[in-house]
Amino acid sequence: MPELLEKLTYAVERGKVDRASAFPPDLAAADGADELTRQALAAKISANEILQNALMPAMAKVGDKFGRGEAYIPDLLIAAKAMNAAMKHLQPFFKSGAAQHRGVVVIGTVVGDLHDIGKNIVKMVLKGDGWNVVDLGVSAGVEKYLAAIAEYPGCYVGLSALLTTTMMQMEQINAAIKEKFPVTKVFVGGAPLTQEFNDKIGADGYFANPHTFTQYLQTL
Amino acid sequence: MRRMQATIQVFSPAATELEINRNAIKLAMGYDATHAPFLYAGLVDELLEQAQQYLALQTGYRIFPPGEAKAANGRVQLQDTILGTGKLIAGRLKKIAGAAIFTATAGAEFDAWLRQFFAEEDPVSGFIADLIGSEYVEAAADWIEEKISGMASSFDLGCSNRYSPGYCSWNVAEQHKLFAFLPTGFCGISLCDSALMQPVKSVSGIIGIGPAIVKKEYQCNICNLQDCYKRQIQPRKSQHETS
């Protein structure tokens, strides 16, 4: 049994999505995260054990490599893709309560801004790290955020912007969230942002990349 | 003596006319060009080929002949419009007599193509396609810069580097002032209230023109924008390969 989970960890870490995936070349003929998760469930390994003892450690390993400068955004993304292939088989267990996400993160690109590549990358990495991600899409205004927070009590919120003009919307959205949901933590990210800007608008953290964001969320 | 005339021109260069630097894309992905894993290097080539069918490159300029532009005290003046470029850019343009406003875009279909990867949960391809879009738009801007520079030199005038709102402390909201000089939908680009260009893979900016203007080596250290494509593609110290 542990051997199967070790294989799954390795498949996710290397970004081996399924048997048909040509990558990584040295695992070309091997089962990927998709098949290995199905095998683990068939072997009566619980969804939670698969999540806790195989998938999350895999993403942690890739994240550590990223932190050491030994892996880059594409490595994070391909591992997240493999993780998501595994997570699809675990969805019924999340619905039944037999397995739990780490929590909920509501993310969106703020009103006036249509850039979503960065937000989508963060979304994939968060999902790969075991978070239930509620994506509000692009040009999301304050009402959308407030409605999502009301629907997912205890969630964390991520605001994304790529322009210096649209990042100003973050101040208003953060203030509205803090007024209605004072304990909700709001995080910001995007090319023009800085920790200074985060501090100025009273948000709870700025992260320059998805890995440091997920790392921080795990400490909360 | 021939004088440079006020002109507006739009071009649709073929993707094959542009110089695309594959190594720049690998650098932007985070790798040294010589050490990009096989997986990603292969994917860059594959996506570059696919991109050809979605690119609808357009680029153009409006020329302000000598006498229509000047710069001082953190401002650039085009006709009666004051651009608050900030001291950095205005300083570099202080000898201008004329100017060119330019735009370049990869087109709306390209935007849709790269978004589709994320919709299909293929973020690696989406990430690389996004960088390919940036590379093509920058290459289109290089192309139009060369055209402007060639035209200026035929009048014994020099050209500055190109500067864009959002960079080098020039507020991106000033993009509205640039677009006010251009016909609606110039190059197929529109501008939102927030100064966001659509298609998203688009650039705009200004190039100074004048008899005493010279282009300088590109330097990221004059700009404080850290997470920028141009900064990402600066060769690292261990990087010697060129394409």
Side-chain angles (χ1 to χ4, degrees):
Chain A
M1 299 297 183
E3 192 190 341
L4 190 53
L5 293 185
E6 277 171 24
K7 276 187 181 173
L8 179 54
T9 301
Y10 189 64
V12 171
E13 186 189 344
R14 297 291 312 280
K16 176 72 176 170
V17 177
D18 55 26
R19 179 171 266 275
S21 316
F23 307 108
D26 58 307
L27 297 179
D31 284 339
D34 176 70
E35 293 85 5
L36 292 166
T37 305
R38 280 194 276 130
Q39 289 164 25
L41 288 169
K44 307 286 182 205
I45 301 175
S46 76
N48 233 11
E49 195 178 344
I50 294 170
L51 185 66
Q52 301 284 342
N53 297 336
L55 302 181
M56 286 179 179
M59 289 306 290
K61 282 186 178 185
V62 185
D64 288 345
K65 281 188 194 168
F66 184 86
R68 293 197 299 268
E70 295 165 11
Y72 300 96
I73 293 283
D75 305 302
L76 277 183
L77 291 176
I78 200 147
K81 186 178 176 183
M83 171 89 173
N84 285 332
M87 292 289 268
K88 279 180 184 150
H89 299 295
L90 303 188
Q91 283 311 320
F93 301 94
F94 286 115
K95 283 184 182 157
S96 71
Q100 282 86 40
H101 287 105
R102 286 187 194 271
V104 179
V105 183
V106 171
I107 64 170
T109 302
V110 297
V111 64
D113 202 328
L114 302 177
H115 291 96
D116 60 357
I117 304 298
K119 184 261 297 170
N120 287 337
I121 288 171
V122 172
K123 174 184 168 182
M124 286 296 293
V125 175
L126 284 170
K127 281 174 75 178
D129 198 43
W131 294 88
N132 179 14
V133 182
V134 177
D135 183 359
L136 302 183
V138 295
S139 201
V142 66
E143 295 305 324
K144 265 194 173 179
Y145 286 99
L146 295 177
I149 298 165
E151 191 177 345
Y152 299 96
C155 68
Y156 300 113
V157 178
L159 308 179
S160 169
L162 196 76
L163 299 175
T164 49
T165 45
T166 53
M167 75 183 201
M168 296 306 171
Q169 297 291 336
M170 290 177 167
E171 183 165 14
Q172 189 197 342
I173 294 171
N174 180 57
I177 292 171
K178 297 289 186 202
E179 188 184 340
K180 198 161 180 187
F181 303 100
V183 297
T184 299
K185 291 199 180 295
V186 179
F187 304 104
V188 295
L193 276 91
T194 59
Q195 184 61 43
E196 290 73 32
F197 179 78
N198 170 84
D199 298 344
K200 183 177 156 243
I201 69 167
D204 297 291
Y206 156 75
F207 297 94
N209 64 62
H211 171 61
T212 51
F213 185 33
T214 56
Q215 263 194 329
Y216 181 76
L217 286 176
Q218 287 170 27
T219 66
L220 297 176
Chain B
M1 184 181 165
R2 276 190 334 129
R3 291 199 59 202
M4 193 179 216
Q5 299 298 310
T7 42
I8 294 186
Q9 289 245 21
V10 175
F11 305 87
S12 301
T16 48
E17 284 183 68
L18 304 182
E19 268 186 47
I20 295 302
N21 185 346
R22 282 173 160 75
N23 288 347
I25 296 167
K26 292 174 198 165
L27 285 167
M29 287 160 69
Y31 303 102
D32 278 358
T34 47
H35 297 109
F38 170 77
L39 157 63
Y40 307 126
L43 202 50
V44 168
D45 291 340
E46 196 181 302
L47 291 169
L48 270 169
E49 200 175 320
Q50 275 186 44
Q52 307 305 309
Q53 56 187 300
Y54 300 100
L55 285 163
L57 295 157
Q58 283 200 79
T59 180
Y61 58 69
R62 174 172 174 176
I63 298 292
F64 297 81
E68 292 194 8
K70 59 184 177 183
N73 303 322
R75 294 166 167 194
V76 172
Q77 186 171 346
L78 284 185
Q79 295 178 340
D80 295 331
T81 300
I82 303 289
L83 304 174
T85 58
K87 286 186 176 168
L88 199 68
I89 295 174
R92 301 230 161 192
L93 296 180
K94 67 184 174 193
K95 293 178 181 168
I96 63 168
I101 288 176
F102 69 90
T103 66
T105 183
E109 269 188 60
F110 189 89
D111 274 10
W113 175 63
L114 76 90
R115 286 216 159 75
Q116 170 208 314
F117 289 113
F118 288 97
E120 292 170 354
E121 302 215 329
D122 183 0
V124 181
S125 298
F127 176 67
I128 295 172
D130 182 67
L131 297 177
I132 287 172
S134 298
E135 181 62 21
Y136 264 108
V137 171
E138 287 301 329
D142 288 342
W143 188 89
I144 200 74
E145 187 180 332
E146 209 165 291
K147 266 211 173 312
I148 293 166
S149 172
M151 189 202 328
S153 72
S154 73
F155 293 97
D156 293 326
L157 299 169
C159 278
S160 72
N161 300 61
R162 59 179 190 257
Y163 299 98
S164 296
Y167 297 85
C168 301
S169 307
W170 187 6
N171 191 328
V172 73
E174 292 259 324
Q175 202 146 233
H176 286 289
K177 292 182 183 172
L178 291 190
F179 275 75
F181 281 115
L182 302 171
T184 304
F186 187 70
C187 290
I189 303 171
S190 61
L191 203 59
C192 299
D193 289 345
S194 58
L196 170 76
M197 283 182 284
Q198 283 185 287
V200 168
K201 285 292 163 199
S202 301
V203 293
S204 73
I206 187 170
I207 293 170
I209 296 172
I213 287 274
V214 286
K215 186 172 174 177
K216 298 195 170 168
E217 278 295 303
Y218 192 84
Q219 289 178 312
C220 276
N221 59 6
I222 65 166
C223 175
N224 58 8
L225 199 61
Q226 294 300 312
D227 193 6
C228 156
Y229 182 71
K230 287 197 172 185
R231 189 180 290 272
Q232 288 168 349
I233 65 173
Q234 293 305 302
R236 309 200 207 307
K237 281 181 183 166
S238 59
Q239 161 65 30
H240 299 295
E241 186 194 358
T242 53
S243 62

